[in-house]
């Protein structure tokens, strides 16, 4: 954990230096923008194909070249936003909170899923596991089982279930025989195949994998669901956020997407219905969970 914190402090220093060297006027001169997107799809090729229409829409509306960049972990995307490799990012809530805490990145909009700016984390198992409830997982039936988290930049895959376990007095590394850290799609695939006993995921991913025929619904049993969590953040780097006129144009560009989906459904993946303006306060529950688990330190 100390190494994790140290890396973020180093990135924060680099980002603060970038904020000194890059003035808001530099962004107004037509510099190409790098749009970083997390690995929402099973592979990079499909992810790029899925989010390229969104990048093209932003390019047209902003009058700027927008270069799409898929980053294969939430933690990696947060770091890229913090160290200046990415200007705009569509990122998970926990990754956003990390980037905000350490490098002052700022959310400008939140994506909507089926009309709502919130989603749910969950713990899943398979029907042959003998785990019929989360209490089974926490108790003797669950001790010595295998469990999979997402990567450590994931909200529903890591932070939220870790917080839940801690609230129940459970230390995952001691309670389970083996703890894995992997991608959401891999968690569902391995759980439904019976290769691991349980894992953390989120409703949007599970629904998409069922819809695409990647997993069978009857092989993925939900035994715990989190309170509502803020959806993915559309965030900008600290230097770019200083250009208020640009931020307003960006918010307007993504606000148009909801109505446009009627004629251009390719702008967003299935079930996503647009964006709504938001700010840092919407992500307070995630920040609070980070502080409670000790994975986030209070700002001095």
């Amino acid at each position: 954990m100390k190494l994790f914190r140290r890396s973020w402090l180093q990135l924060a220093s680099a980002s603060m230096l970038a904020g000194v060297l890059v003035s808001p006027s530099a962004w107004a001169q037509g510099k190409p923008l790098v749009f970083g997107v997390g690995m929402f799809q099973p592979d990079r090729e499909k992810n790029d194909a899925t989010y390229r229409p969104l990048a093209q829409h932003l390019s047209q509306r902003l009058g700027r070249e927008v270069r799409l960049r898929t980053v294969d972990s939430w933690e990696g995307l947060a770091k890229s936003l913090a160290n200046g490799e990415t200007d705009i990012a569509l990122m998970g809530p926990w990754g956003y909170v990390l980037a905000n805490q350490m490098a002052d990145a700022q959310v400008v909009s939140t994506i909507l899923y089926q009309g709502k700016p919130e989603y749910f984390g969950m713990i899943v198992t398979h029907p042959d596991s003998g785990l019929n409830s989360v209490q089974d997982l926490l108790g003797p039936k669950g001790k010595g089982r295998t469990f999979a988290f997402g990567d450590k930049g994931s909200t529903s895959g890591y932070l939220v279930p870790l917080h839940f376990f801690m609230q129940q007095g459970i230390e995952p590394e001691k309670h389970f025989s083996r703890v894995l850290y992997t991608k959401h799609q891999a968690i569902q695939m391995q759980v439904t195949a019976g290769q691991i006993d349980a894992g953390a995921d989120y409703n949007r991913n599970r629904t998409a994998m069922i819809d695409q025929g990647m997993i069978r619904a009857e092989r993925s049993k939900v035994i715990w669901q989190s309170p509502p969590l803020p959806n993915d953040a559309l965030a900008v780097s600290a230097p770019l956020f200083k250009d208020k006129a640009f931020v307003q144009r960006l918010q307007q560009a993504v606000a148009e997407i909801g109505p446009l989906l009627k004629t251009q459904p390719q702008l967003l993946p299935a079930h996503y219905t647009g964006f709504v303006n938001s700010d840092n306060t919407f992500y307070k529950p995630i920040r609070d969970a980070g502080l409670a688990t000790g994975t986030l330190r209070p700002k001095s």
Side-chain angles (χ1 to χ4, degrees):
M1 191 62 68
K2 288 181 179 178
L3 289 173
F4 184 67
R5 288 172 177 159
R6 187 179 303 123
S7 67
W8 275 100
L9 289 172
Q10 290 169 345
L11 285 168
S13 298
S15 180
M16 285 187 287
L17 179 59
V20 173
L21 297 177
V22 181
S23 67
S25 62
W27 303 110
Q29 295 170 4
K31 174 182 177 291
L33 296 166
V34 178
F35 177 37
V37 178
M39 187 72 81
F40 293 97
Q41 302 298 323
D43 57 64
R44 184 178 299 275
E45 183 177 353
K46 187 169 185 179
N47 209 74
D48 286 347
T50 299
Y51 290 97
R52 191 170 292 114
L54 176 57
Q56 292 170 344
H57 171 82
L58 293 178
S59 180
Q60 292 168 358
R61 293 299 189 268
L62 297 173
R64 304 273 290 275
E65 180 183 355
V66 175
R67 298 173 181 170
L68 181 66
R69 180 173 183 262
T70 288
V71 183
D72 62 6
S73 76
W74 296 121
E75 185 180 351
L77 181 55
K79 288 180 178 180
S80 75
L81 189 63
N83 65 22
E85 293 177 356
T86 296
D87 301 305
I88 306 170
L90 182 61
M91 61 198 313
W94 176 225
Y96 163 68
V97 168
L98 289 172
N100 170 260
Q101 185 83 356
M102 301 303 180
D104 207 29
Q106 296 291 325
V107 60
V108 296
S109 298
T110 295
I111 201 166
L112 298 173
Y113 184 81
Q114 295 181 339
K116 298 179 181 179
E118 298 170 322
Y119 74 112
F120 298 92
M122 57 178 55
I123 293 175
V124 296
T125 185
H126 57 89
D128 305 324
S129 68
L131 301 170
N132 296 312
S133 68
V134 73
Q135 293 308 317
D136 284 347
L137 182 67
L138 299 173
K141 281 187 177 181
K143 192 170 179 63
R145 300 296 191 111
T146 52
F147 188 87
F149 286 107
D151 75 63
K152 292 187 177 182
S154 171
T155 310
S156 58
Y158 175 69
L159 177 68
V160 170
L162 176 64
H163 188 209
F164 170 71
F165 285 140
M166 290 178 67
Q167 288 176 318
Q168 308 305 311
I170 297 293
E171 294 183 51
E173 301 285 351
K174 293 182 179 180
H175 184 74
F176 300 114
S177 62
R178 186 163 61 110
V179 175
L180 310 176
Y181 298 88
T182 186
K183 300 184 187 304
H184 283 279
Q185 290 89 352
I187 292 170
Q188 285 284 359
M189 297 289 283
Q190 292 179 59
V191 166
T192 56
Q195 297 169 351
I196 53 178
D197 294 305
D201 194 23
Y202 61 107
N203 64 316
R204 300 190 319 248
N205 181 63
R206 181 175 181 270
T207 298
M209 293 185 72
I210 291 170
D211 287 350
Q212 294 170 24
M214 297 175 67
I215 60 170
R216 288 162 36 211
E218 64 270 19
R219 292 292 301 171
S220 173
K221 184 166 69 173
V222 179
I223 57 173
W224 177 79
Q225 181 171 282
S226 75
L229 305 170
N231 264 345
D232 300 320
L234 184 71
V236 298
S237 65
L240 190 52
F241 187 68
K242 293 176 183 178
D243 187 340
K244 300 305 180 185
F246 173 83
V247 169
Q248 187 175 21
R249 291 199 304 274
L250 177 60
Q251 289 178 318
Q252 290 171 345
V254 296
E256 296 173 1
I257 290 175
L260 286 173
L261 288 172
K262 293 178 182 179
T263 56
Q264 301 178 53
Q266 75 280 4
L267 285 173
L268 290 177
H271 303 295
Y272 288 90
T273 52
F275 289 85
V276 62
N277 290 356
S278 63
D279 59 32
N280 201 36
T281 58
F282 188 51
Y283 292 84
K284 184 178 183 298
I286 308 304
R287 188 174 297 102
D288 290 346
L291 293 169
T293 56
T295 51
L296 193 68
R297 296 195 333 196
K299 285 186 176 180
S300 55

